[in-house]
Amino acid sequence: MTFEEHQAEAEEIFSNRELIVLPDYFSYLGDGDVIRFGPDRKAVRVLFRKQANANYFLVTERCNHLCLMCSQPPKDVDDHWLAREIIDVLPLLPATTPFIGITGGEPTLVGDDFFEILSCARDHLPSTPIHILSNGRTFKDRAFAQRYQAIGHRRLSIGIPIYSSDPEVHDYVVQSKGAFEETIRGIMNLKAVGAEVEIRAVVHKQTYEGLADLSDFIFRNLTFVDHVAFMGLEITGFTRANMDKLWMDPYDYKSELRAAVQYLAAARINVSVYNHQLCLLDKSLHGYAKQSISDWKNEYVDECNRCAKRDQCGGFFSSSNLARSSHIAAFQ
Protein backbone atom coordinates (compact mmCIF):
# COMPACT_ATOMS: atom_id res chain seq x y z
CA MET A 1 0.00 0.00 0.00
CA THR A 2 1.19 3.51 -0.78
CA PHE A 3 -0.09 7.03 -1.36
CA GLU A 4 -0.39 8.90 -4.66
CA GLU A 5 2.54 11.10 -3.66
CA HIS A 6 4.84 8.06 -3.55
CA GLN A 7 3.21 5.97 -6.29
CA ALA A 8 6.00 6.18 -8.86
CA GLU A 9 8.70 5.34 -6.32
CA ALA A 10 6.67 2.42 -4.89
CA GLU A 11 5.96 0.98 -8.34
CA GLU A 12 9.68 1.01 -9.10
CA ILE A 13 10.62 -0.70 -5.85
CA PHE A 14 7.78 -3.25 -5.93
CA SER A 15 7.56 -3.74 -9.68
CA ASN A 16 6.55 -7.39 -9.34
CA ARG A 17 3.66 -6.73 -6.92
CA GLU A 18 0.19 -5.28 -7.10
CA LEU A 19 -0.13 -2.10 -5.06
CA ILE A 20 -3.02 -0.39 -3.33
CA VAL A 21 -2.61 3.31 -4.05
CA LEU A 22 -4.53 5.60 -1.72
CA PRO A 23 -5.40 9.24 -2.41
CA ASP A 24 -3.22 11.63 -0.43
CA TYR A 25 -6.15 12.63 1.79
CA PHE A 26 -5.62 9.26 3.50
CA SER A 27 -2.19 10.47 4.61
CA TYR A 28 -3.44 10.65 8.21
CA LEU A 29 -3.05 6.85 8.34
CA GLY A 30 -0.03 5.49 10.15
CA ASP A 31 1.63 2.36 11.48
CA GLY A 32 -0.77 0.11 13.36
CA ASP A 33 -3.91 1.43 11.67
CA VAL A 34 -6.30 -1.14 10.21
CA ILE A 35 -8.10 -0.69 6.90
CA ARG A 36 -10.28 -2.92 4.74
CA PHE A 37 -9.84 -2.82 0.98
CA GLY A 38 -12.66 -4.05 -1.26
CA PRO A 39 -11.07 -4.80 -4.65
CA ASP A 40 -14.44 -5.41 -6.31
CA ARG A 41 -15.52 -1.83 -5.57
CA LYS A 42 -12.04 -0.35 -5.21
CA ALA A 43 -13.19 0.95 -1.84
CA VAL A 44 -11.21 1.50 1.35
CA ARG A 45 -12.65 1.68 4.86
CA VAL A 46 -10.61 2.80 7.86
CA LEU A 47 -11.55 0.47 10.72
CA PHE A 48 -9.05 1.45 13.42
CA ARG A 49 -6.62 4.32 13.99
CA LYS A 50 -3.87 3.70 16.52
CA GLN A 51 -3.41 7.41 17.31
CA ALA A 52 -7.14 8.25 17.59
CA ASN A 53 -8.42 9.33 21.01
CA ALA A 54 -11.42 7.03 20.60
CA ASN A 55 -12.12 4.13 18.25
CA TYR A 56 -15.77 3.10 18.03
CA PHE A 57 -17.08 0.03 16.21
CA LEU A 58 -20.61 0.11 14.76
CA VAL A 59 -22.18 -3.30 15.48
CA THR A 60 -25.50 -2.75 13.70
CA GLU A 61 -27.67 0.03 12.30
CA ARG A 62 -30.81 -1.64 13.66
CA CYS A 63 -32.45 -0.17 16.77
CA ASN A 64 -35.66 -0.40 18.79
CA HIS A 65 -35.59 3.37 19.41
CA LEU A 66 -36.11 6.32 17.08
CA CYS A 67 -34.55 9.01 19.29
CA LEU A 68 -35.31 12.58 18.28
CA MET A 69 -31.59 13.42 18.29
CA CYS A 70 -30.16 10.10 17.04
CA SER A 71 -26.78 10.68 15.40
CA GLN A 72 -26.93 7.28 13.63
CA PRO A 73 -30.50 7.00 12.24
CA PRO A 74 -31.50 3.33 12.39
CA LYS A 75 -32.11 1.13 9.37
CA ASP A 76 -34.06 -2.13 9.29
CA VAL A 77 -31.44 -4.07 7.36
CA ASP A 78 -29.52 -7.33 7.58
CA ASP A 79 -26.09 -6.04 8.53
CA HIS A 80 -24.73 -9.02 10.45
CA TRP A 81 -21.52 -8.63 8.45
CA LEU A 82 -20.63 -5.63 10.63
CA ALA A 83 -20.35 -7.80 13.73
CA ARG A 84 -18.33 -10.41 11.85
CA GLU A 85 -15.97 -7.69 10.64
CA ILE A 86 -15.38 -6.50 14.21
CA ILE A 87 -14.57 -10.06 15.26
CA ASP A 88 -12.00 -10.19 12.44
CA VAL A 89 -10.47 -6.83 13.38
CA LEU A 90 -10.07 -7.14 17.16
CA PRO A 91 -7.19 -9.69 17.02
CA LEU A 92 -5.25 -7.24 14.81
CA LEU A 93 -5.24 -4.45 17.37
CA PRO A 94 -2.27 -3.76 19.66
CA ALA A 95 -2.61 -5.00 23.22
CA THR A 96 -1.88 -1.43 24.35
CA THR A 97 -5.01 -0.01 22.69
CA PRO A 98 -6.22 2.59 25.23
CA PHE A 99 -9.97 2.41 24.52
CA ILE A 100 -12.55 0.70 22.33
CA GLY A 101 -16.20 1.73 21.97
CA ILE A 102 -19.03 -0.54 20.85
CA THR A 103 -22.05 1.23 19.40
CA GLY A 104 -25.00 1.04 17.02
CA GLY A 105 -27.98 1.14 16.47
CA GLU A 106 -28.57 -1.05 19.44
CA PRO A 107 -25.63 -3.48 19.78
CA THR A 108 -27.51 -6.05 21.86
CA LEU A 109 -29.93 -6.75 18.99
CA VAL A 110 -27.31 -8.87 17.22
CA GLY A 111 -27.65 -11.52 19.96
CA ASP A 112 -24.92 -14.15 19.93
CA ASP A 113 -22.63 -11.96 17.83
CA PHE A 114 -22.73 -9.33 20.59
CA PHE A 115 -21.35 -11.80 23.10
CA GLU A 116 -18.79 -13.12 20.61
CA ILE A 117 -17.46 -9.59 20.11
CA LEU A 118 -17.07 -9.14 23.86
CA SER A 119 -15.42 -12.55 24.23
CA CYS A 120 -13.00 -11.68 21.43
CA ALA A 121 -12.16 -8.38 23.16
CA ARG A 122 -11.60 -10.24 26.44
CA ASP A 123 -9.18 -12.70 24.79
CA HIS A 124 -7.20 -10.22 22.66
CA LEU A 125 -7.52 -6.92 24.55
CA PRO A 126 -7.81 -7.92 28.22
CA SER A 127 -6.40 -4.60 29.49
CA THR A 128 -8.28 -2.29 27.12
CA PRO A 129 -11.38 -0.51 28.48
CA ILE A 130 -14.39 -1.55 26.38
CA HIS A 131 -17.34 0.85 26.58
CA ILE A 132 -20.70 -0.13 25.10
CA LEU A 133 -23.42 2.36 24.16
CA SER A 134 -26.82 0.71 24.62
CA ASN A 135 -30.37 1.77 25.44
CA GLY A 136 -30.35 -0.97 28.08
CA ARG A 137 -33.73 -2.47 27.25
CA THR A 138 -32.48 -5.93 26.29
CA PHE A 139 -31.05 -6.30 29.79
CA LYS A 140 -34.57 -6.38 31.21
CA ASP A 141 -34.05 -10.10 30.68
CA ARG A 142 -32.05 -11.12 33.76
CA ALA A 143 -30.50 -14.06 31.90
CA PHE A 144 -29.15 -11.69 29.22
CA ALA A 145 -27.55 -9.52 31.91
CA GLN A 146 -26.03 -12.58 33.56
CA ARG A 147 -24.60 -13.78 30.25
CA TYR A 148 -23.12 -10.34 29.66
CA GLN A 149 -21.37 -10.27 33.03
CA ALA A 150 -20.18 -13.86 32.62
CA ILE A 151 -17.98 -12.75 29.69
CA GLY A 152 -15.48 -11.81 32.37
CA HIS A 153 -13.73 -8.86 30.72
CA ARG A 154 -12.49 -6.94 33.74
CA ARG A 155 -12.64 -3.52 32.01
CA LEU A 156 -16.12 -3.73 30.48
CA SER A 157 -18.64 -0.93 30.99
CA ILE A 158 -21.93 0.13 29.47
CA GLY A 159 -23.45 3.58 28.94
CA ILE A 160 -27.25 3.77 29.03
CA PRO A 161 -29.34 6.92 28.44
CA ILE A 162 -32.06 8.19 30.75
CA TYR A 163 -33.43 11.48 29.51
CA SER A 164 -35.92 12.30 32.24
CA SER A 165 -37.31 11.08 35.54
CA ASP A 166 -40.73 11.36 33.87
CA PRO A 167 -41.41 8.16 31.88
CA GLU A 168 -43.55 10.01 29.35
CA VAL A 169 -40.79 12.50 28.55
CA HIS A 170 -38.16 9.75 28.22
CA ASP A 171 -40.44 7.66 26.00
CA TYR A 172 -41.20 10.70 23.85
CA VAL A 173 -37.50 11.49 23.35
CA VAL A 174 -36.74 7.91 22.31
CA GLN A 175 -40.06 7.55 20.44
CA SER A 176 -40.91 4.21 22.04
CA LYS A 177 -43.68 3.67 24.57
CA GLY A 178 -42.66 1.64 27.60
CA ALA A 179 -38.94 2.26 27.01
CA PHE A 180 -38.37 3.99 30.36
CA GLU A 181 -39.60 1.06 32.43
CA GLU A 182 -37.58 -1.50 30.46
CA THR A 183 -34.45 0.66 30.62
CA ILE A 184 -34.66 1.00 34.41
CA ARG A 185 -35.19 -2.77 34.75
CA GLY A 186 -32.17 -3.31 32.52
CA ILE A 187 -29.98 -1.07 34.69
CA MET A 188 -31.18 -2.79 37.84
CA ASN A 189 -30.39 -6.22 36.39
CA LEU A 190 -26.94 -5.15 35.24
CA LYS A 191 -26.01 -3.75 38.63
CA ALA A 192 -27.45 -6.82 40.36
CA VAL A 193 -24.89 -8.98 38.53
CA GLY A 194 -22.03 -6.56 39.23
CA ALA A 195 -21.71 -4.81 35.86
CA GLU A 196 -20.27 -1.30 35.51
CA VAL A 197 -23.01 1.09 34.37
CA GLU A 198 -22.91 4.71 33.26
CA ILE A 199 -26.05 6.84 32.83
CA ARG A 200 -26.05 9.35 29.97
CA ALA A 201 -28.41 12.29 29.48
CA VAL A 202 -28.34 14.52 26.40
CA VAL A 203 -29.37 18.08 27.28
CA HIS A 204 -31.76 19.88 24.90
CA LYS A 205 -35.17 21.60 24.84
CA GLN A 206 -37.06 18.46 25.84
CA THR A 207 -34.83 17.56 28.79
CA TYR A 208 -33.17 20.65 30.30
CA GLU A 209 -36.03 21.64 32.61
CA GLY A 210 -36.03 18.21 34.24
CA LEU A 211 -32.29 17.89 34.90
CA ALA A 212 -32.52 18.53 38.64
CA ASP A 213 -35.40 16.06 38.95
CA LEU A 214 -33.38 13.50 37.01
CA SER A 215 -30.45 13.91 39.40
CA ASP A 216 -32.82 13.46 42.33
CA PHE A 217 -34.27 10.32 40.71
CA ILE A 218 -30.80 8.88 40.20
CA PHE A 219 -29.84 9.63 43.79
CA ARG A 220 -32.99 8.05 45.22
CA ASN A 221 -33.24 5.03 42.92
CA LEU A 222 -29.94 4.42 41.11
CA THR A 223 -27.32 5.70 43.52
CA PHE A 224 -25.26 2.56 42.82
CA VAL A 225 -24.43 3.51 39.20
CA ASP A 226 -20.76 4.11 38.45
CA HIS A 227 -20.96 7.35 36.49
CA VAL A 228 -23.43 9.95 35.22
CA ALA A 229 -22.67 12.07 32.13
CA PHE A 230 -24.62 15.13 30.99
CA MET A 231 -23.99 15.57 27.28
CA GLY A 232 -24.23 18.37 24.76
CA LEU A 233 -26.26 17.97 21.59
CA GLU A 234 -24.56 16.81 18.37
CA ILE A 235 -26.24 18.39 15.35
CA THR A 236 -26.29 15.44 13.01
CA GLY A 237 -28.65 12.62 12.06
CA PHE A 238 -32.23 13.11 13.24
CA THR A 239 -31.26 16.25 15.18
CA ARG A 240 -31.14 18.22 11.95
CA ALA A 241 -34.76 17.33 11.18
CA ASN A 242 -35.85 18.16 14.74
CA MET A 243 -33.95 21.37 15.42
CA ASP A 244 -37.10 23.24 16.42
CA LYS A 245 -37.81 20.62 19.10
CA LEU A 246 -34.22 20.24 20.33
CA TRP A 247 -31.79 23.10 19.82
CA MET A 248 -31.25 25.75 22.43
CA ASP A 249 -28.21 27.79 23.32
CA PRO A 250 -26.33 25.85 26.04
CA TYR A 251 -25.76 29.16 27.81
CA ASP A 252 -29.52 29.31 28.45
CA TYR A 253 -29.57 26.07 30.47
CA LYS A 254 -26.35 26.65 32.42
CA SER A 255 -28.20 27.09 35.73
CA GLU A 256 -30.23 23.88 35.29
CA LEU A 257 -27.08 21.96 34.38
CA ARG A 258 -25.19 23.41 37.35
CA ALA A 259 -27.93 22.37 39.77
CA ALA A 260 -28.07 18.83 38.38
CA VAL A 261 -24.32 18.29 38.47
CA GLN A 262 -23.84 19.80 41.91
CA TYR A 263 -26.68 17.67 43.33
CA LEU A 264 -24.99 14.45 42.22
CA ALA A 265 -21.53 15.64 43.25
CA ALA A 266 -22.84 16.45 46.73
CA ALA A 267 -24.27 12.92 46.86
CA ARG A 268 -20.79 11.57 46.01
CA ILE A 269 -21.93 10.16 42.68
CA ASN A 270 -19.29 10.30 39.95
CA VAL A 271 -20.54 12.90 37.45
CA SER A 272 -19.14 14.55 34.30
CA VAL A 273 -20.13 17.04 31.62
CA TYR A 274 -19.44 16.00 28.02
CA ASN A 275 -19.49 17.91 24.72
CA HIS A 276 -19.66 21.40 26.23
CA GLN A 277 -17.45 24.46 25.90
CA LEU A 278 -16.03 25.88 29.14
CA CYS A 279 -17.16 29.43 28.34
CA LEU A 280 -20.79 28.24 28.29
CA LEU A 281 -20.63 26.46 31.64
CA ASP A 282 -20.90 27.89 35.11
CA LYS A 283 -17.33 28.13 36.41
CA SER A 284 -18.18 25.73 39.23
CA LEU A 285 -18.58 22.98 36.61
CA HIS A 286 -15.22 23.38 34.87
CA GLY A 287 -13.73 20.59 36.95
CA TYR A 288 -16.44 18.20 35.73
CA ALA A 289 -16.08 19.02 32.02
CA LYS A 290 -14.28 16.42 29.88
CA GLN A 291 -12.70 16.53 26.44
CA SER A 292 -15.07 13.92 25.08
CA ILE A 293 -15.50 14.59 21.35
CA SER A 294 -13.73 12.14 19.02
CA ASP A 295 -10.76 13.79 17.33
CA TRP A 296 -12.03 13.23 13.79
CA LYS A 297 -15.11 15.38 14.44
CA ASN A 298 -13.66 17.82 16.96
CA GLU A 299 -12.88 21.42 16.05
CA TYR A 300 -12.39 24.88 17.52
CA VAL A 301 -13.61 28.29 16.32
CA ASP A 302 -11.75 31.58 15.89
CA GLU A 303 -12.51 32.74 19.44
CA CYS A 304 -10.71 29.66 20.74
CA ASN A 305 -7.38 30.69 19.21
CA ARG A 306 -6.92 33.42 21.81
CA CYS A 307 -8.46 31.52 24.73
CA ALA A 308 -6.27 30.74 27.74
CA LYS A 309 -8.26 27.56 28.44
CA ARG A 310 -8.34 26.09 24.95
CA ASP A 311 -6.19 23.11 25.97
CA GLN A 312 -8.65 22.21 28.73
CA CYS A 313 -11.81 22.78 26.67
CA GLY A 314 -13.70 20.07 24.80
CA GLY A 315 -14.22 22.21 21.71
CA PHE A 316 -17.06 21.70 19.24
CA PHE A 317 -18.57 19.01 17.08
CA SER A 318 -17.74 19.72 13.44
CA SER A 319 -21.50 19.91 12.84
CA SER A 320 -21.87 22.81 15.27
CA ASN A 321 -21.62 25.31 12.41
CA LEU A 322 -25.33 24.64 11.85
CA ALA A 323 -26.20 26.18 15.24
CA ARG A 324 -23.79 27.69 17.70
CA SER A 325 -24.08 29.65 20.92
CA SER A 326 -23.97 33.41 20.71
CA HIS A 327 -22.01 33.48 24.01
CA ILE A 328 -18.71 31.90 22.91
CA ALA A 329 -15.93 33.96 24.49
CA ALA A 330 -12.22 33.56 25.11
CA PHE A 331 -10.81 33.32 28.63
CA GLN A 332 -7.98 35.78 29.15
Side-chain angles (χ1 to χ4, degrees):
M1 186 189 79
T2 188
F3 299 104
E4 288 175 330
E5 179 184 3
H6 305 294
Q7 182 175 353
E9 179 184 357
E11 287 177 344
E12 182 178 347
I13 296 173
F14 303 105
S15 57
N16 60 339
R17 300 184 188 179
E18 291 188 30
L19 289 174
I20 299 173
V21 181
L22 297 181
D24 288 336
Y25 58 74
F26 278 102
S27 61
Y28 61 82
L29 293 174
D31 290 344
D33 293 353
V34 180
I35 67 171
R36 169 153 280 174
F37 174 62
D40 53 335
R41 296 190 302 151
K42 294 185 177 179
V44 170
R45 292 175 57 234
V46 178
L47 304 180
F48 172 83
R49 288 177 51 229
K50 185 177 180 180
Q51 298 302 321
N53 66 347
N55 281 282
Y56 276 88
F57 289 104
L58 179 74
V59 175
T60 180
E61 293 189 83
R62 290 178 288 135
C63 193
N64 50 356
H65 281 179
L66 285 169
C67 298
L68 295 176
M69 65 291 173
C70 180
S71 60
Q72 182 73 42
K75 299 176 183 177
D76 187 14
V77 294
D78 180 4
D79 56 6
H80 71 281
W81 62 272
L82 285 169
R84 304 314 305 175
E85 181 176 74
I86 296 168
I87 293 165
D88 289 341
V89 169
L90 289 177
L92 304 177
L93 307 188
T96 54
T97 299
F99 173 88
I100 289 294
I102 302 294
T103 186
E106 173 48 45
T108 61
L109 295 183
V110 301
D112 289 343
D113 282 343
F114 173 67
F115 294 111
E116 189 170 350
I117 289 169
L118 299 185
S119 296
C120 189
R122 175 200 62 206
D123 296 341
H124 295 283
L125 300 167
S127 299
T128 298
I130 309 295
H131 190 63
I132 301 156
L133 299 180
S134 168
N135 61 42
R137 295 175 66 182
T138 309
F139 296 97
K140 69 181 186 296
D141 178 355
R142 182 69 174 270
F144 195 92
Q146 290 171 331
R147 185 178 177 187
Y148 167 84
Q149 188 64 6
I151 293 296
H153 193 302
R154 60 188 178 87
R155 304 203 67 184
L156 195 61
S157 63
I158 187 163
I160 297 175
I162 302 178
Y163 297 117
S164 174
S165 60
D166 183 339
E168 290 189 9
V169 173
H170 177 91
D171 290 358
Y172 171 69
V173 170
V174 305
Q175 295 287 285
S176 181
K177 192 171 180 61
F180 179 86
E181 181 181 348
E182 292 187 354
T183 296
I184 298 301
R185 286 173 57 196
I187 292 172
M188 300 288 282
N189 282 340
L190 282 164
K191 290 308 302 179
V193 298
E196 183 176 331
V197 176
E198 171 191 70
I199 291 177
R200 294 187 161 204
V202 180
V203 187
H204 50 66
K205 271 186 184 179
Q206 304 299 322
T207 62
Y208 83 98
E209 291 182 309
L211 291 180
D213 288 339
L214 177 58
S215 288
D216 183 63
F217 177 86
I218 292 170
F219 170 66
R220 294 181 183 278
N221 300 281
L222 303 170
T223 189
F224 43 74
V225 297
D226 300 278
H227 184 228
V228 178
F230 293 100
M231 311 184 70
L233 187 67
E234 182 178 7
I235 306 174
T236 189
F238 282 162
T239 301
R240 298 190 182 193
N242 294 307
M243 287 291 282
D244 60 325
K245 298 183 180 70
L246 299 172
W247 165 253
M248 63 182 298
D249 190 325
Y251 185 87
D252 293 334
Y253 61 66
K254 64 187 299 185
S255 62
E256 287 85 359
L257 182 58
R258 180 192 64 220
V261 171
Q262 289 182 343
Y263 185 109
L264 293 177
R268 300 185 182 277
I269 293 174
N270 186 22
V271 58
S272 300
V273 178
Y274 290 172
N275 311 343
H276 281 77
Q277 300 78 47
L278 293 179
C279 57
L280 302 183
L281 296 175
D282 187 272
K283 288 185 178 180
S284 67
L285 299 191
H286 286 192
Y288 301 97
K290 309 299 181 185
Q291 294 178 302
S292 53
I293 301 175
S294 299
D295 57 358
W296 60 273
K297 55 182 176 180
N298 190 200
E299 64 179 29
Y300 294 85
V301 298
D302 290 342
E303 291 91 335
C304 303
N305 294 330
R306 57 180 182 274
C307 181
K309 293 192 175 184
R310 172 177 168 144
D311 291 344
Q312 294 84 50
C313 183
F316 298 82
F317 286 110
S318 56
S319 60
S320 68
N321 61 330
L322 297 174
R324 189 172 292 156
S325 173
S326 58
H327 296 272
I328 301 299
F331 287 96
Q332 301 301 320

